[in-house]
Amino acid sequence: MANILPNTDAGLITADNSVLVFIDHQPQMLFGVANNIDRQQLINNVLLLARGAKEFNVPTILTTVETESFSGEMWPQLLDVFPDQTPIERTGMNSWDTQAFRDAIKKTGKKNIILSGLWTEVCITWPTLNMLAEGYNIYVVEDACGATSQAAHDAALSRMVQAGAVRMTTIATVLEFQRDWANRDHYNALMSLFREFGGAYGVGIEYAYTMVHKAPAARKVTK
């Protein structure tokens, strides 16, 4: 069977063949998120994705829209993950319409673009369609995106998939960077991330560490 995703590892993304983009994670945009995901869970997923990508040295681009006049600064928790980066500021809703954003994507030399952002139906869908037309492979981390309604989220995902985009989820994306548990370089850091941000999976890891392997609890403050 022919590989329908060129520039991948037989269809898989790796830390070396992809770039991660965070689009418009700003307070006003978060206010508009409704139904498709709990807002706190969305923040949690975004931070897991960001910190996981940083652990594996995945190139990352940040971009914001109308920061001063409408949307507010990018979430401080996300900016703290990338303290040396300044988000690319835009006036347009479609990131691909902004030359600085296009230049940043092209500068990475990567063809696999992983997207997380607000809102799914506008600021994720529009650049996705444009980048697909330019020959990029687009991966939308759907539980690290928020929309104004469940219907808007579903319609946007359908539209992007019909055009050739790939739906992803946060934990699966970070695990795809790791891929082989024999790779110990990132193992401990990854387990710490999942214990903190991985929801039920993280709770399971905590249980296995403390109850089965008798490791200390992953608490940050001790007496």
Side-chain angles (χ1 to χ4, degrees), residues 25-28 64 67-68 71-76 79 87:
H25 294 86
Q26 298 166 266
Q28 182 62 43
T64 50
T67 296
E68 295 295 330
S71 301
E73 298 286 344
M74 182 167 271
W75 303 344
L79 289 174

Side-chain angles (χ1 to χ4, degrees), residues 20-199:
L20 176 60
V21 180
F22 290 101
I23 299 175
D24 300 351
H25 294 86
Q26 298 166 266
Q28 182 62 43
M29 305 307 294
L30 188 60
F31 293 159
V33 172
N35 297 324
N36 80 288
I37 189 170
D38 174 78
R39 292 185 183 94
Q40 186 57 53
Q41 183 64 56
L42 175 60
I43 293 171
N44 198 61
N45 291 344
V46 168
L47 293 178
L48 174 57
L49 184 62
R51 290 179 59 173
K54 186 172 184 179
E55 172 63 27
F56 287 93
N57 294 314
V58 177
T60 302
I61 296 169
L62 312 178
T63 183
T64 50
V65 64
E66 290 292 340
T67 296
E68 295 295 330
S69 65
F70 180 74
S71 301
E73 298 286 344
M74 182 167 271
W75 303 344
Q77 308 97 306
L78 182 54
L79 289 174
D80 283 345
V81 180
F82 307 103
D84 298 327
Q85 285 192 234
T86 300
I88 297 168
E89 179 69 7
R90 313 181 330 273
T91 59
M93 290 177 278
N94 182 357
S95 300
W96 198 249
D97 287 340
T98 298
Q99 184 66 50
F101 181 84
R102 296 197 301 271
D103 291 344
I105 292 287
K106 293 173 182 177
K107 185 178 179 180
T108 68
K110 313 294 184 182
K111 286 294 187 178
N112 300 301
I113 316 299
I114 305 167
L115 297 183
S116 163
L118 309 176
W119 297 322
T120 319
E121 67 268 39
V122 178
C123 301
I124 294 297
T125 299
W126 296 356
T128 290
L129 298 177
N130 284 165
M131 285 190 281
L132 286 169
E134 293 282 339
Y136 292 94
N137 299 324
I138 306 298
Y139 304 82
V140 178
V141 187
E142 61 181 86
D143 61 350
C145 296
T148 56
S149 70
Q150 186 66 58
H153 189 67
D154 292 343
L157 290 170
S158 293
R159 184 181 183 188
M160 289 185 283
V161 168
Q162 287 166 0
V166 178
R167 295 172 66 173
M168 300 283 281
T169 53
T170 300
I171 290 177
T173 301
V174 177
L175 287 177
E176 202 157 330
F177 295 144
Q178 171 67 23
R179 192 164 170 178
D180 188 344
W181 291 122
N183 175 8
R184 307 300 291 186
D185 293 346
H186 304 283
Y187 184 87
N188 290 332
L190 199 59
M191 289 299 100
S192 294
L193 283 178
F194 282 130
R195 288 165 92 177
E196 184 172 0
F197 297 106

